[in-house]
Amino acid sequence: METNPPRLLELVRQRIRLKHFSIRTEEAYLGWIKQFILFHGKRHPQEMGKDEIEAFLNHLVADRNVAAATQNQAKSALLFLYRAVLGMELPWLSDVESAKIPKRLPTVLSEYEVQTVLNNLTGTNALIGDLLYGAGLRLLEACRLRVKDVDFEAGQIVVRDGKGARDRITVLPQKVVPLLQLHLQRVAQLFADDANKGFAPVYLPNALSLKYPKAGREWGWQYVFPADRPSEDPRSGVIRRHHVSDQQVQRAVRAAARRSGIAKPVSPHTLRHSFATHLLQNGYDIRTVQELLGHSDVRTTMIYTHVLNRGGRGVLSPLDALSPA
């Protein structure tokens, strides 16, 4: 029985790669499926059903105190296992309830706070911070940005395969152009050095390397923000230069916020929230902001209109209306 989980996990891995899921999704799904099997004493998932799934999901909340989003990710992994791998379309799959993610207003910085945080970033992290705020990019969208998708002439950035597998166009801040062009000169030299050293071409998504076998060695496909050093590709095992680590940027932004003396919880995504809010403050139409952010539903963008309201939806406190004694 103990030999079944490894064979099953390898089958899951193959199915995930067939569907071109990201390496992060692959690692997360495999981790949750393995935990599910171990939680139930290494029983095979075919022997289990709704009760075992609910017991595991309840354990995550009651015993491990995971967030609702984490529990939902675990549920998605198990539903993928049963539906896509084991081919078990059972009626109870749709009955397993998802945890409700609490609705919270995003943390938004003032323009002065944004400027202070950006001033406390250096090097590559400073350029990425400028794009998170100046173009409204998500962190991974900035890290995965390719040279060909930065259009200096048109003053725009093309975000490929963003959230929901959608492409979109957003603004390229003019203030960042000179520094970004200088940065790309250094990246071009790094690209040439890697080619001379015989490193594998840059990673291409969704089997593009099979369709365009030479594209990985073309300048346009290189990452705008490459990693400091080459590393082993977790899927193929070849040595290539990946994009900059998103965790590196997260640490840098949090450190910059601390140096700025900002008490709010600040992350790279806070800069994107601030981008949206400041655009609305400056009078831009909410549909325009929706398009720049890549939201499929305008109701997602509407949350920033709530942030703009002061003092409980713009109500004047009766204390402030009192005449001085």
Side-chain angles (χ1 to χ4, degrees):
M1 190 67 181
E2 293 183 0
T3 59
N4 282 335
R7 291 202 298 268
L8 176 63
L9 293 179
E10 184 56 34
L11 186 60
V12 173
R13 190 189 308 275
Q14 293 172 4
R15 180 63 61 176
I16 287 175
R17 294 184 179 181
L18 183 65
K19 291 183 175 291
H20 303 300
F21 287 2
S22 72
I23 187 67
R24 290 168 181 264
T25 301
E26 177 181 321
E27 292 171 350
Y29 276 23
L30 287 170
W32 286 123
I33 292 169
K34 185 176 181 180
Q35 289 185 50
F36 174 64
I37 293 171
L38 293 175
F39 178 76
H40 287 294
K42 298 185 179 180
R43 292 171 60 194
H44 196 283
Q46 285 182 323
E47 302 173 2
M48 298 185 280
K50 179 181 179 182
D51 291 342
E52 286 80 6
I53 288 182
E54 289 185 332
F56 177 65
L57 296 178
N58 290 335
H59 155 74
L60 294 180
V61 174
D63 301 328
R64 292 177 50 181
N65 197 31
V66 303
T70 303
Q71 187 199 40
N72 285 338
Q73 184 189 61
K75 176 191 172 183
S76 296
L78 297 180
L79 297 188
F80 178 83
L81 167 66
Y82 278 92
R83 287 173 170 160
V85 179
L86 299 178
M88 297 173 65
E89 279 290 350
L90 302 178
W92 49 261
L93 285 172
S94 300
D95 295 336
V96 179
E97 293 188 6
S98 298
K100 289 183 172 58
I101 299 176
K103 295 182 179 180
R104 306 188 191 280
L105 291 178
T107 299
V108 173
L109 303 178
S110 68
E111 291 182 355
Y112 173 76
E113 288 171 329
V114 169
Q115 185 66 68
T116 306
V117 170
L118 295 180
N119 287 344
N120 276 289
L121 291 170
T122 60
T124 299
N125 294 324
L127 277 174
I128 294 175
D130 286 343
L131 292 181
L132 296 177
Y133 174 67
L137 299 184
R138 298 179 179 90
L139 176 54
L140 280 177
E141 290 173 348
C143 292
R144 294 170 176 168
L145 189 62
R146 310 272 182 163
V147 172
K148 67 182 181 62
D149 294 324
V150 180
D151 190 334
F152 290 105
E153 185 174 344
Q156 65 185 31
I157 294 173
V158 181
V159 180
R160 304 285 183 185
D161 199 21
K163 191 173 182 180
R166 292 185 298 270
D167 293 352
R168 75 178 190 279
I169 294 176
T170 187
V171 60
L172 172 65
Q174 289 305 298
K175 280 188 175 181
V176 81
V177 167
L179 289 175
L180 189 55
Q181 289 176 329
L182 184 61
H183 167 79
L184 287 176
Q185 291 177 18
R186 294 192 292 267
V187 173
Q189 184 58 56
L190 191 64
F191 167 56
D193 292 343
D194 285 352
N196 291 334
K197 293 175 182 176
F199 293 136
V202 71
Y203 168 77
L204 298 180
N206 301 338
L208 280 175
S209 57
L210 298 178
K211 188 175 182 180
Y212 306 108
K214 296 182 179 180
R217 296 198 182 278
E218 295 175 0
W219 167 238
W221 281 98
Q222 306 310 304
Y223 290 117
V224 172
F225 302 111
D228 291 337
R229 59 183 63 87
S231 59
E232 182 178 311
D233 188 305
R235 289 182 169 175
S236 64
V238 302
I239 304 299
R240 59 161 52 104
R241 193 178 295 273
H242 203 48
H243 59 66
V244 66
S245 166
D246 58 306
Q247 295 180 351
Q248 169 193 313
V249 182
Q250 288 173 340
R251 289 191 296 267
V253 170
R254 292 191 180 106
R258 287 194 299 271
R259 288 193 294 270
S260 303
I262 297 174
K264 301 173 185 176
V266 177
S267 71
H269 212 65
T270 306
L271 296 174
R272 173 175 157 91
H273 290 322
S274 302
F275 163 83
T277 304
H278 295 167
L279 284 180
L280 292 172
Q281 282 178 332
N282 292 333
Y284 285 96
D285 179 78
I286 194 168
R287 293 286 183 179
T288 300
V289 178
Q290 175 193 2
E291 184 177 336
L292 293 173
L293 292 173
H295 290 161
S296 59
D297 192 328
V298 73
R299 287 176 295 183
T300 306
T301 318
M302 287 288 290
I303 192 171
Y304 298 109
T305 64
H306 298 298
V307 177
L308 290 173
N309 292 320
R310 297 181 179 177
R313 302 187 65 81
V315 173
L316 176 67
S317 168
L319 179 63
D320 294 329
L322 291 178
S323 300

